[in-house]
Amino acid sequence: MIVADETQTITEPADLRERLVTLEETQRAILNVLEDMNEERTRLNETQIALMNILEDVEVERVKAEQARALMEAVNRELEAFSYSVSHDLRAPLRAISGFAQAVVEDYSPRLDDEGKRFLGLIQDNAHRMGQLIDDLLTFSRLGRQQLMETQIDLGALAQGVFDEVVAQSPGRKIQFAARSVPPALGDKAMIRQVLTNLLSNAIKFTRSRREAVIEFGHVVRRDQGAYYVKDDGVGFDMQYVNKLFGVFQRLHSMTEFEGTGVGLAIVYRIITRHGGRVWAEGEMDKGAAFYFTLPEG
Amino acid sequence: MSDEKVDIVIVEDDPSDAELIARVFRKHNMVNNIVVLKDGAEALDFFFGSRATDQPKVVLLDLKLPKVNGIEVLQRLKSDERTKNVPVVVLSSSAEDHDIKDAYKYGVNSYVTKPIRFEEFASAVSELRMYWLLLNRPVEGQTPVPAARRS
């Protein structure tokens, strides 16, 4: 639209033509912009639809993950109930065996000769051992299913505390123990405490023959990886059996040499593996053993 | 305050467990009358049925019972005016038993783990706030030792 300007007067036709051309170009430009905008709008619409689809897919995946998690929790609860029930049902006849063997000893002692008393002692020892096995198996099975509660752990302090507790059960033993200062680790404190309990109990047990045992807890860096260790100077083991050490019920000694259920190291292995770490052992017959494990840095 | 005899009522389905518990009491020269009930239904009948009496008693209750389970027996005992003051000690196979926590919710007074030791039982029972007395018959030459505090 040509606006008549007071200061300007429409004069020659050339002027008009120019104005018209400018107008047409402007109109074309506007139409182009409108077309571009339309295209943009279509593209935006498509993007929006695509985004909605992605959100839907994500939601579907989330629901699936949630269902899988719920299923796993249900299975875990079932397994827990099962092993709990099994352990209780196994303990009942064990109580009876122990209890009545004890009753025979108490009430019929005068009528029993030494052999008789020895047999009854064996019955009770084995019942006790079976009770221990049930406890260990229950612990072992629970380990695979428990949630890890991670905190920063001062392993040196923990090791000293555990050692003091365990050694108190063997009064009269002379043991030189050193818990060196070690870097903090990240882990489930109760489980790591179990690891140290098992390793230190073993160290104390297998150094029985030494007049004064030497046991050490520390940290070492090997091949760029830091590892904690429990070392002892006890009976050690033959390295050719090193792969058997961490299996369930695997023992390298007979019951008469050393008592034990053969689950302790399997428990250690399971706990450390669940923390994403490694466990290994080195030993030499009659020179001692060292058990190493890695944990995430605290 | 008379020397009223208190009955010991053992509600336990495993006959070996029940026998060994009774044996612990006899070995400590306790002369209380011991009653053994083998399932929840017998327990309910004993406490609420025609046989029910006002005789003071302390109950040792196993939670896993056939017919009517221990928790239900406990609920019935604690919700009935006639029996809610009867002291109940739960019998458990292990201290980790989560049934014990359930039992405490229903007002159980204490628990002991099987196999029971006399000292644990005496201490569990001595924590009860109710007047009770467990009787000992002394062995020749000894003076009677009270099994738990008298109030």
Side-chain angles (χ1 to χ4, degrees):
Chain A
M1 185 166 28
I2 298 176
V3 175
D5 186 275
E6 286 134 67
T7 59
Q8 212 182 32
T9 45
I10 304 163
T11 46
E12 292 106 80
D15 235 3
L16 246 178
R17 230 173 298 130
E18 234 185 84
R19 294 266 174 104
L20 202 58
V21 166
T22 319
L23 248 179
E24 280 177 1
E25 285 178 359
T26 312
Q27 197 181 36
R28 237 176 294 146
I30 292 176
L31 280 174
N32 277 338
V33 167
L34 280 176
E35 224 179 276
D36 286 344
M37 274 174 65
N38 249 351
E39 261 179 55
E40 269 305 305
R41 193 179 56 177
T42 314
R43 234 177 293 150
L44 267 171
N45 264 348
E46 288 173 1
T47 309
Q48 191 184 38
I49 292 173
L51 265 172
M52 301 284 277
N53 283 336
I54 292 177
L55 279 175
E56 232 179 84
D57 290 342
V58 165
E59 181 61 21
V60 165
E61 287 309 304
R62 194 193 65 79
V63 168
K64 270 198 255 172
E66 180 59 35
Q67 284 173 337
R69 195 194 57 83
L71 180 65
M72 196 180 72
E73 275 192 9
V75 167
N76 271 355
R77 269 195 304 268
E78 243 178 72
L79 272 172
E80 177 66 32
F82 172 74
S83 37
Y84 174 83
S85 184
V86 162
S87 100
H88 270 248
D89 291 341
L90 286 174
R91 280 191 240 252
L94 217 50
R95 277 197 300 273
I97 292 170
S98 252
F100 287 113
Q102 182 66 25
V104 173
V105 167
E106 285 170 5
D107 293 358
Y108 294 92
S109 214
R111 285 197 248 169
L112 285 168
D113 63 358
D114 284 342
E115 268 295 83
K117 291 185 194 151
R118 190 177 70 87
F119 288 165
L120 285 161
L122 283 168
I123 291 174
Q124 284 183 289
D125 287 347
N126 276 278
H128 175 80
R129 193 172 128 209
M130 184 151 168
Q132 202 52 58
L133 259 163
I134 293 174
D135 287 344
D136 285 352
L137 277 173
L138 199 61
T139 305
F140 183 73
S141 94
R142 202 175 275 151
L143 278 177
R145 295 178 266 114
Q146 247 169 0
Q147 284 273 63
L148 253 71
M149 298 214 286
E150 293 202 324
T151 56
Q152 199 172 78
I153 307 175
D154 176 356
L155 276 161
L158 190 59
Q160 183 68 61
V162 167
F163 178 81
D164 292 338
E165 256 176 54
V166 179
V167 84
Q169 294 169 23
S170 314
R173 287 284 309 274
K174 283 178 142 243
I175 304 177
Q176 203 187 93
F177 177 66
R180 314 222 170 278
S181 90
V182 297
L186 202 60
D188 183 306
K189 192 160 183 192
M191 290 193 194
I192 300 302
R193 166 178 267 278
Q194 179 81 63
V195 165
L196 288 169
T197 303
N198 290 9
L199 291 177
L200 288 168
S201 299
N202 276 358
I204 292 173
K205 180 164 72 178
F206 290 103
T207 51
R208 257 202 312 243
S209 54
R210 306 289 181 235
R211 209 169 318 154
E212 186 166 338
V214 178
I215 299 176
E216 188 185 319
F217 171 77
H219 183 266
V220 76
V221 179
R222 278 209 197 158
R223 280 183 266 151
D224 284 340
Q225 165 122 79
Y228 303 91
Y229 63 81
V230 172
K231 258 188 223 172
D232 69 71
D233 66 345
V235 294
F237 60 88
D238 188 333
M239 277 302 278
Q240 69 170 308
Y241 299 121
V242 72
N243 293 322
K244 292 191 124 203
L245 278 175
F246 297 100
V248 182
F249 292 142
Q250 293 290 1
R251 309 190 72 241
L252 294 184
H253 302 272
S254 71
M255 267 303 162
T256 43
E257 295 172 310
F258 291 102
E259 70 288 1
T261 55
V263 188
L265 284 177
I267 290 175
V268 166
Y269 183 83
R270 220 183 204 198
I271 292 176
I272 298 297
T273 312
R274 281 210 70 202
H275 280 76
R278 287 193 310 127
V279 211
W280 68 96
E282 287 168 8
E284 206 182 322
M285 287 294 287
D286 214 42
K287 294 268 180 68
F291 286 83
Y292 299 87
F293 60 93
T294 65
L295 282 174
E297 271 174 55
Chain B
M1 202 186 288
S2 59
D3 267 1
E4 231 181 326
K5 262 218 298 195
V6 172
D7 284 356
I8 299 177
V9 181
I10 304 174
V11 190
E12 167 63 67
D13 65 316
D14 185 315
S16 297
D17 276 337
E19 187 175 335
L20 288 168
I21 293 168
R23 191 188 151 78
V24 167
F25 295 152
R26 292 199 180 105
K27 289 242 106 198
H28 282 82
N29 298 316
M30 279 161 58
V31 299
N32 307 74
N33 185 31
I34 297 177
V35 176
V36 178
L37 306 168
K38 62 176 168 24
D39 60 54
E42 264 190 27
L44 291 180
D45 184 59
F46 180 83
F47 291 110
F48 302 109
S50 47
R51 297 203 280 160
T53 66
D54 281 333
Q55 173 70 17
K57 42 182 99 72
V58 60
V59 181
L60 270 76
L61 179 66
D62 186 38
L63 294 177
K64 289 189 170 35
L65 298 167
K67 297 197 185 155
V68 179
N69 75 37
I71 293 282
E72 214 183 303
V73 171
L74 181 62
Q75 273 179 283
R76 286 287 307 273
L77 284 173
K78 291 301 174 184
S79 61
D80 192 302
E81 276 305 307
R82 299 169 283 170
T83 55
K84 71 177 190 198
N85 289 320
V86 173
V88 177
V89 177
V90 158
L91 288 170
S92 150
S93 333
S94 92
E96 290 178 16
D97 211 325
H98 45 62
D99 288 336
I100 298 178
K101 283 197 221 131
D102 280 345
Y104 270 97
K105 269 192 277 178
Y106 293 109
V108 85
N109 303 97
S110 203
Y111 77 93
V112 286
T113 51
K114 301 188 274 194
I116 80 170
R117 279 159 287 275
F118 182 78
E119 296 71 29
E120 266 179 49
F121 172 72
S123 122
V125 161
S126 73
E127 284 167 23
L128 301 177
R129 277 175 281 138
M130 184 188 132
Y131 162 78
W132 66 276
L133 174 67
L134 290 182
L135 295 177
N136 266 79
R137 177 176 51 216
V139 170
E140 285 107 55
Q142 289 181 0
T143 45
V145 175
R149 279 198 306 258
R150 303 177 194 209
S151 66

mmCIF file of all heavy atoms in Angstrom, chain A residues 142-161:
data_model
loop_
_atom_site.group_PDB
_atom_site.id
_atom_site.type_symbol
_atom_site.label_atom_id
_atom_site.label_comp_id
_atom_site.label_asym_id
_atom_site.label_seq_id
_atom_site.Cartn_x
_atom_site.Cartn_y
_atom_site.Cartn_z
ATOM 1 N N ARG A 142 23.226 -66.375 52.835
ATOM 2 C CA ARG A 142 22.670 -65.047 53.018
ATOM 3 C C ARG A 142 23.546 -63.996 52.341
ATOM 4 O O ARG A 142 23.072 -62.981 51.865
ATOM 5 C CB ARG A 142 22.593 -64.744 54.518
ATOM 6 C CG ARG A 142 21.599 -63.690 54.857
ATOM 7 C CD ARG A 142 21.493 -63.549 56.346
ATOM 8 N NE ARG A 142 20.562 -64.496 56.923
ATOM 9 C CZ ARG A 142 20.659 -64.976 58.147
ATOM 10 N NH1 ARG A 142 21.665 -64.635 58.908
ATOM 11 N NH2 ARG A 142 19.761 -65.805 58.604
ATOM 12 N N LEU A 143 24.830 -64.245 52.300
ATOM 13 C CA LEU A 143 25.780 -63.290 51.740
ATOM 14 C C LEU A 143 25.493 -62.939 50.305
ATOM 15 O O LEU A 143 25.716 -61.822 49.869
ATOM 16 C CB LEU A 143 27.193 -63.857 51.803
ATOM 17 C CG LEU A 143 27.882 -63.704 53.127
ATOM 18 C CD1 LEU A 143 29.220 -64.376 53.047
ATOM 19 C CD2 LEU A 143 28.035 -62.239 53.442
ATOM 20 N N GLY A 144 25.025 -63.905 49.549
ATOM 21 C CA GLY A 144 24.792 -63.648 48.143
ATOM 22 C C GLY A 144 23.607 -62.730 47.931
ATOM 23 O O GLY A 144 23.417 -62.178 46.863
ATOM 24 N N ARG A 145 22.776 -62.570 48.957
ATOM 25 C CA ARG A 145 21.512 -61.870 48.741
ATOM 26 C C ARG A 145 21.408 -60.551 49.483
ATOM 27 O O ARG A 145 20.546 -59.751 49.206
ATOM 28 C CB ARG A 145 20.355 -62.775 49.173
ATOM 29 C CG ARG A 145 20.259 -64.000 48.305
ATOM 30 C CD ARG A 145 19.154 -64.930 48.756
ATOM 31 N NE ARG A 145 19.642 -65.952 49.655
ATOM 32 C CZ ARG A 145 19.317 -66.055 50.921
ATOM 33 N NH1 ARG A 145 18.511 -65.182 51.454
ATOM 34 N NH2 ARG A 145 19.791 -67.016 51.672
ATOM 35 N N GLN A 146 22.316 -60.344 50.428
ATOM 36 C CA GLN A 146 22.201 -59.143 51.236
ATOM 37 C C GLN A 146 22.574 -57.894 50.466
ATOM 38 O O GLN A 146 23.466 -57.918 49.641
ATOM 39 C CB GLN A 146 23.148 -59.248 52.417
ATOM 40 C CG GLN A 146 22.462 -59.351 53.732
ATOM 41 C CD GLN A 146 23.457 -59.729 54.797
ATOM 42 O OE1 GLN A 146 24.623 -59.907 54.521
ATOM 43 N NE2 GLN A 146 23.001 -59.844 56.011
ATOM 44 N N GLN A 147 21.913 -56.805 50.814
ATOM 45 C CA GLN A 147 22.287 -55.505 50.280
ATOM 46 C C GLN A 147 23.578 -55.050 50.932
ATOM 47 O O GLN A 147 23.744 -55.195 52.133
ATOM 48 C CB GLN A 147 21.203 -54.480 50.651
ATOM 49 C CG GLN A 147 19.947 -54.566 49.842
ATOM 50 C CD GLN A 147 20.061 -53.740 48.585
ATOM 51 O OE1 GLN A 147 20.891 -54.017 47.728
ATOM 52 N NE2 GLN A 147 19.230 -52.724 48.480
ATOM 53 N N LEU A 148 24.469 -54.498 50.138
ATOM 54 C CA LEU A 148 25.700 -53.952 50.705
ATOM 55 C C LEU A 148 25.412 -52.568 51.251
ATOM 56 O O LEU A 148 24.849 -51.727 50.557
ATOM 57 C CB LEU A 148 26.764 -53.831 49.611
ATOM 58 C CG LEU A 148 27.898 -54.829 49.638
ATOM 59 C CD1 LEU A 148 27.373 -56.187 49.249
ATOM 60 C CD2 LEU A 148 28.979 -54.409 48.682
ATOM 61 N N MET A 149 25.803 -52.322 52.511
ATOM 62 C CA MET A 149 25.652 -50.972 53.053
ATOM 63 C C MET A 149 27.042 -50.359 53.126
ATOM 64 O O MET A 149 27.814 -50.666 54.040
ATOM 65 C CB MET A 149 25.031 -51.060 54.449
ATOM 66 C CG MET A 149 23.655 -51.676 54.408
ATOM 67 S SD MET A 149 22.557 -50.956 55.638
ATOM 68 C CE MET A 149 23.193 -51.701 57.105
ATOM 69 N N GLU A 150 27.359 -49.558 52.146
ATOM 70 C CA GLU A 150 28.742 -49.102 52.028
ATOM 71 C C GLU A 150 29.035 -47.888 52.886
ATOM 72 O O GLU A 150 28.296 -46.898 52.871
ATOM 73 C CB GLU A 150 29.057 -48.791 50.571
ATOM 74 C CG GLU A 150 29.051 -50.043 49.712
ATOM 75 C CD GLU A 150 29.857 -49.860 48.443
ATOM 76 O OE1 GLU A 150 29.826 -48.740 47.905
ATOM 77 O OE2 GLU A 150 30.508 -50.821 48.019
ATOM 78 N N THR A 151 30.148 -47.963 53.611
ATOM 79 C CA THR A 151 30.648 -46.798 54.345
ATOM 80 C C THR A 151 32.163 -46.831 54.244
ATOM 81 O O THR A 151 32.747 -47.816 53.778
ATOM 82 C CB THR A 151 30.298 -46.860 55.845
ATOM 83 O OG1 THR A 151 30.801 -48.086 56.375
ATOM 84 C CG2 THR A 151 28.823 -46.758 56.098
ATOM 85 N N GLN A 152 32.783 -45.781 54.733
ATOM 86 C CA GLN A 152 34.231 -45.772 54.749
ATOM 87 C C GLN A 152 34.682 -46.571 55.968
ATOM 88 O O GLN A 152 34.113 -46.439 57.053
ATOM 89 C CB GLN A 152 34.753 -44.348 54.830
ATOM 90 C CG GLN A 152 36.195 -44.305 54.386
ATOM 91 C CD GLN A 152 36.699 -42.883 54.267
ATOM 92 O OE1 GLN A 152 37.009 -42.273 55.262
ATOM 93 N NE2 GLN A 152 36.777 -42.386 53.054
ATOM 94 N N ILE A 153 35.666 -47.422 55.779
ATOM 95 C CA ILE A 153 36.096 -48.294 56.866
ATOM 96 C C ILE A 153 37.571 -48.085 57.179
ATOM 97 O O ILE A 153 38.408 -48.047 56.269
ATOM 98 C CB ILE A 153 35.904 -49.779 56.486
ATOM 99 C CG1 ILE A 153 34.473 -50.027 56.024
ATOM 100 C CG2 ILE A 153 36.218 -50.675 57.681
ATOM 101 C CD1 ILE A 153 34.238 -51.419 55.516
ATOM 102 N N ASP A 154 37.853 -47.951 58.468
ATOM 103 C CA ASP A 154 39.237 -47.897 58.929
ATOM 104 C C ASP A 154 39.644 -49.330 59.225
ATOM 105 O O ASP A 154 39.383 -49.867 60.304
ATOM 106 C CB ASP A 154 39.318 -47.026 60.192
ATOM 107 C CG ASP A 154 40.717 -47.008 60.793
ATOM 108 O OD1 ASP A 154 41.608 -47.723 60.288
ATOM 109 O OD2 ASP A 154 40.916 -46.274 61.779
ATOM 110 N N LEU A 155 40.277 -49.964 58.246
ATOM 111 C CA LEU A 155 40.536 -51.397 58.360
ATOM 112 C C LEU A 155 41.520 -51.743 59.461
ATOM 113 O O LEU A 155 41.409 -52.788 60.088
ATOM 114 C CB LEU A 155 41.050 -51.935 57.020
ATOM 115 C CG LEU A 155 39.923 -52.262 56.060
ATOM 116 C CD1 LEU A 155 40.418 -52.333 54.642
ATOM 117 C CD2 LEU A 155 39.270 -53.562 56.445
ATOM 118 N N GLY A 156 42.495 -50.842 59.690
ATOM 119 C CA GLY A 156 43.488 -51.115 60.725
ATOM 120 C C GLY A 156 42.820 -51.245 62.083
ATOM 121 O O GLY A 156 43.059 -52.204 62.823
ATOM 122 N N ALA A 157 41.950 -50.276 62.381
ATOM 123 C CA ALA A 157 41.249 -50.294 63.666
ATOM 124 C C ALA A 157 40.342 -51.511 63.764
ATOM 125 O O ALA A 157 40.272 -52.182 64.797
ATOM 126 C CB ALA A 157 40.429 -49.010 63.826
ATOM 127 N N LEU A 158 39.657 -51.808 62.652
ATOM 128 C CA LEU A 158 38.748 -52.957 62.633
ATOM 129 C C LEU A 158 39.511 -54.244 62.890
ATOM 130 O O LEU A 158 39.101 -55.090 63.686
ATOM 131 C CB LEU A 158 38.023 -53.021 61.292
ATOM 132 C CG LEU A 158 36.877 -54.007 61.164
ATOM 133 C CD1 LEU A 158 35.785 -53.708 62.187
ATOM 134 C CD2 LEU A 158 36.283 -53.959 59.758
ATOM 135 N N ALA A 159 40.680 -54.375 62.223
ATOM 136 C CA ALA A 159 41.476 -55.588 62.366
ATOM 137 C C ALA A 159 41.923 -55.770 63.817
ATOM 138 O O ALA A 159 41.866 -56.877 64.353
ATOM 139 C CB ALA A 159 42.691 -55.540 61.443
ATOM 140 N N GLN A 160 42.341 -54.670 64.430
ATOM 141 C CA GLN A 160 42.794 -54.764 65.823
ATOM 142 C C GLN A 160 41.648 -55.188 66.726
ATOM 143 O O GLN A 160 41.809 -56.063 67.583
ATOM 144 C CB GLN A 160 43.354 -53.409 66.297
ATOM 145 C CG GLN A 160 43.923 -53.428 67.707
ATOM 146 C CD GLN A 160 45.188 -54.263 67.797
ATOM 147 O OE1 GLN A 160 46.188 -53.993 67.152
ATOM 148 N NE2 GLN A 160 45.127 -55.299 68.621
ATOM 149 N N GLY A 161 40.487 -54.576 66.507
ATOM 150 C CA GLY A 161 39.315 -54.915 67.308
ATOM 151 C C GLY A 161 38.925 -56.369 67.156
ATOM 152 O O GLY A 161 38.665 -57.076 68.139
#
